[in-house]
Amino acid sequence: MNISLITPKPFNPQKLRARKVNFQLSTDIPKIWHGNSLIMTHFFNAINLFLPAFELMMVRVMKNQLNNIEDSEFKKQICGFIAQEASHSQAHHQYNQILRKQGYKFEKLLKTTDFILTEIVEKRLGKQVSLATIAGFEHLTTLLAEIVLKVDMLEPAEFRMKELWKWHAAEEIEHSSLAFIYLQKINNSYWLRVVGGVLGAAIVVSFIAIGMLLLVLQERYFFSWKTLIDLNKLLFTKYKLIPYSLIPFFEYFNFKFDSCNQDIYPLAEKVFI
Ligand SMILES: [Fe+2]
Ligand SMILES: [Fe+2]
């Protein structure tokens, strides 16, 4: 890992802390920064669009229920989780500014995202459903982080973008078990977990699909065989997003689901060496 972009701190899920980062994000990052693939670039850009709002929501909801936790060690872990998510949010907010400067239009989408997360999920559905939705989000982000690192999905990416996404993926793995354990401590209802898992997945998948479509349609030459081939590579053939995520996604609905999957830790350990 390049020392100038991330302050090195070894992978340690028992002692979560935010790492200092400076990805030197600026408009000299090429618009199409993942090889020459519109699809791969806008797959990550679409995730980037909603991450700041999404991670700030996690910070608010997690902070909100901290008083209901008595275990002081666990509280420290949650504070580490909150610090990591807050720094992810900041970095992705900076990157959204670059996307704006590069001419992409997405303000309405961001307002809608914010409305869904704050007005519908947080205010109308309440604290416990919000926490369950976050646990569902975190299950998906862990899955995505695992696939990204396992298949080396960022290999063709511009250096700073590669570092940004690898750092985020590795920290997602580092704190991957926390939101689920937090939910279990607050309310261990199986059906609450199911509602949060379904809601979290519906929000993440629709935000990524809509964001990708919105960005790809702003490219002059968006419709080509290459676009379709790249989409097929992302979903089925090269990076296998769907085959790799389908079964692990449904494991979340198993009564005996365990969020602590140490088998994936080496993927993240390598990033922070
Ligand atoms: Fe994050
Ligand atoms: Fe996370």
Side-chain angles (χ1 to χ4, degrees):
M1 184 59 63
N2 188 314
I3 203 160
S4 66
L5 304 189
I6 301 176
T7 307
K9 232 174 239 165
F11 177 82
N12 188 353
Q14 274 73 48
K15 205 171 181 187
L16 295 172
R17 273 182 299 174
R19 292 166 179 83
K20 278 196 185 137
V21 290
N22 178 6
F23 294 106
Q24 297 154 23
L25 300 175
S26 66
T27 43
D28 66 343
I29 291 173
K31 281 181 83 173
I32 304 304
W33 55 263
H34 192 290
N36 63 347
S37 173
L38 287 185
I39 288 292
M40 292 308 297
T41 299
H42 290 316
F43 169 66
F44 284 99
N45 285 351
I47 301 173
N48 200 90
L49 291 187
F50 70 78
L51 277 177
F54 172 88
E55 298 194 296
L56 285 181
M57 176 208 170
M58 287 201 245
V59 169
R60 285 191 302 269
V61 172
M62 302 289 260
K63 269 188 184 168
N64 217 307
Q65 305 200 41
L66 216 49
N67 288 341
N68 299 329
I69 299 288
E70 282 167 11
D71 178 345
S72 61
E73 270 313 297
F74 187 73
K75 261 190 182 171
K76 270 189 208 158
Q77 285 291 80
I78 294 295
C79 291
F81 175 104
I82 289 170
Q84 289 191 341
E85 295 297 15
S87 75
H88 300 168
S89 173
Q90 244 174 20
H92 292 287
H93 173 72
Q94 271 176 26
Y95 190 64
N96 276 348
Q97 303 282 43
I98 307 290
L99 290 173
R100 280 188 185 97
K101 285 182 189 158
Q102 288 177 332
Y104 293 107
K105 306 271 186 275
F106 45 78
E107 299 314 320
K108 277 188 190 158
L109 181 70
L110 293 200
K111 276 191 184 146
T112 312
T113 305
D114 212 39
F115 178 80
I116 292 171
L117 296 177
T118 55
E119 298 298 321
I120 299 183
V121 180
E122 271 185 84
K123 290 190 186 157
R124 302 222 181 127
L125 300 180
K127 289 177 183 174
Q128 296 203 352
V129 175
S130 298
L131 188 57
T133 306
I134 287 169
F137 284 156
E138 285 290 289
H139 177 59
L140 279 190
T141 51
T142 305
L143 255 176
L144 194 57
E146 178 190 350
I147 297 170
V148 164
L149 295 178
K150 183 169 72 181
V151 302
D152 209 0
M153 204 184 272
L154 291 158
E155 196 274 324
E158 193 271 346
F159 175 69
R160 288 162 290 178
M161 298 310 286
K162 188 188 287 187
E163 297 299 286
L164 166 76
W165 286 103
K166 281 174 88 169
W167 157 75
H168 193 163
E171 286 196 348
E172 287 305 316
I173 290 177
E174 195 176 36
H175 68 227
S176 56
S177 59
L178 261 270
F180 182 78
I181 298 171
Y182 194 3
L183 175 66
Q184 298 304 295
K185 284 184 187 280
I186 298 287
N187 184 338
N188 66 358
S189 152
Y190 173 75
W191 291 107
L192 181 62
R193 183 211 311 182
V194 169
V195 168
V198 171
L199 198 57
I203 293 174
V204 170
V205 173
S206 54
F207 282 4
I208 295 178
I210 294 168
M212 249 177 113
L213 194 65
L214 181 80
L215 294 169
V216 169
L217 289 178
Q218 292 178 54
E219 299 295 345
R220 195 187 283 187
Y221 303 108
F222 67 87
F223 192 76
S224 68
W225 278 114
K226 182 172 172 7
T227 307
L228 294 177
I229 290 167
D230 284 354
L231 189 60
N232 189 40
K233 277 186 187 169
L234 169 64
L235 298 179
F236 300 105
T237 56
K238 186 172 180 188
Y239 300 123
K240 300 184 179 171
L241 195 58
I242 291 186
Y244 281 144
S245 56
L246 222 48
I247 292 174
F249 168 69
F250 285 106
E251 280 170 2
Y252 190 70
F253 302 101
N254 186 327
F255 274 110
K256 292 180 182 162
F257 174 73
D258 177 6
S259 61
C260 191
N261 177 9
Q262 297 191 6
D263 294 348
I264 60 174
Y265 286 179
L267 291 168
E269 276 163 4
K270 272 189 236 161
V271 174
F272 295 132
I273 284 174

